[in-house]
Amino acid sequence: MIAAVENLYVCFARYPTPRNLTVCEQCGPEWSAADITSTPLRSLSLAQLEALHVMSLSDDDFRYYFPRLIEALLAEKAPVFAFDLGKLRSRTLSWPAPERAAVTSLVDGLWRSLLAEYPADLGYFSDSPTLIDFTYWCDQPLQVHLNRWQMIDTVSAAEHLGELVEWAFSVREPIEPAVKDLVVNFLAQPVIGERLSAANLDDAEELWRVCGR
């Protein structure tokens, strides 16, 4: 993912350091706006981005921080609750073509890296439910990635399928409503059961047979 992140930095380099920032006193009482603006972009922490309420910034200001946000999320091992990444939805559609292409490359790289290894080492993006949501929020075609997934006959890809089956049919957190039917229809395919069986994921296969078909 190093190349995809570096590509983000290159594509969004034209945006200057925002100057008219407000730091949330509850989220970051230890920092002033001057502290954060004087910190090199690549050295900013997720906590500092949270203190800026980065997802609520103007589009140009947000795009300055976007590469660092993604880079920091990739390195974050703990669950992240402070960022409503759903606010990305429809935002990228107005970005210039090179920036949209960089987002497409990022999402594509995340999917390829995720399915190549289980468990994945992608920080916030290390599970398929999160990446499904992120793909949708980035206005990327989820079906393309699901189609590619079902063609990959590896144990790691099957392990991620098992995780998605468990999440879709036994976890209380709802699937993003806009993609729920797409995900459920994807999981209903016979090939999903075949992949789970071939990988000896008996519990996931049983859950799939009861709930997924």
Side-chain angles (χ1 to χ4, degrees):
M1 292 307 302
I2 295 175
V5 170
E6 289 302 317
N7 189 39
L8 290 179
Y9 276 111
V10 170
C11 286
F12 292 89
R14 70 188 184 95
Y15 297 99
T17 304
R19 294 301 175 189
N20 298 317
L21 295 174
T22 300
V23 176
C24 174
E25 294 182 358
Q26 292 184 329
C27 300
E30 63 268 53
W31 300 298
S32 67
D35 292 332
I36 293 179
T37 56
S38 64
T39 301
L41 178 59
R42 293 183 186 235
S43 298
L44 289 172
S45 66
L46 277 178
Q48 288 174 309
L49 296 177
E50 177 187 356
L52 291 177
H53 292 181
V54 69
M55 296 303 302
S56 298
L57 294 177
S58 68
D59 215 32
D60 283 3
D61 288 353
F62 171 73
R63 280 182 280 184
Y64 170 79
Y65 291 110
F66 182 61
R68 178 55 187 159
L69 174 62
I70 297 301
E71 184 178 38
L73 288 172
L74 279 164
E76 181 57 48
K77 303 301 183 184
V80 177
F81 302 107
F83 299 95
D84 181 8
L85 293 179
K87 290 183 178 180
L88 276 169
R89 181 65 183 174
S90 299
R91 196 167 188 170
T92 65
L93 296 176
S94 63
W95 294 359
E99 295 174 8
R100 297 198 308 273
V103 173
T104 297
S105 178
L106 168 68
V107 172
D108 185 69
L110 285 169
W111 274 105
R112 292 181 185 278
S113 297
L114 179 81
L115 299 179
E117 185 178 11
Y118 187 89
D121 185 18
L122 295 170
Y124 168 81
F125 305 102
S126 293
D127 62 84
S128 61
T130 295
L131 191 48
I132 284 171
D133 285 349
F134 185 70
T135 301
Y136 171 72
W137 294 335
C138 287
D139 301 292
Q140 297 297 305
L142 178 59
Q143 188 67 63
V144 170
H145 299 286
L146 297 181
N147 290 345
R148 183 186 299 159
W149 190 356
Q150 74 175 19
M151 299 297 293
I152 301 175
D153 187 11
T154 63
V155 172
S156 60
E159 291 275 12
H160 284 292
L161 281 175
E163 185 176 65
L164 182 60
V165 165
E166 181 179 358
W167 175 78
F169 300 121
S170 66
V171 177
R172 292 183 178 180
E173 294 181 13
I175 298 173
E176 167 68 52
V179 297
K180 179 178 180 180
D181 288 345
L182 185 62
V183 172
V184 170
N185 289 338
F186 165 69
L187 291 176
Q189 298 176 100
V191 68
I192 303 302
E194 294 170 8
R195 295 283 188 260
L196 297 173
S197 177
N200 297 315
L201 299 174
D202 297 338
D203 291 344
E205 183 185 5
E206 181 179 0
L207 181 60
W208 174 81
R209 291 189 181 281
V210 172
C211 302
R213 293 193 298 172

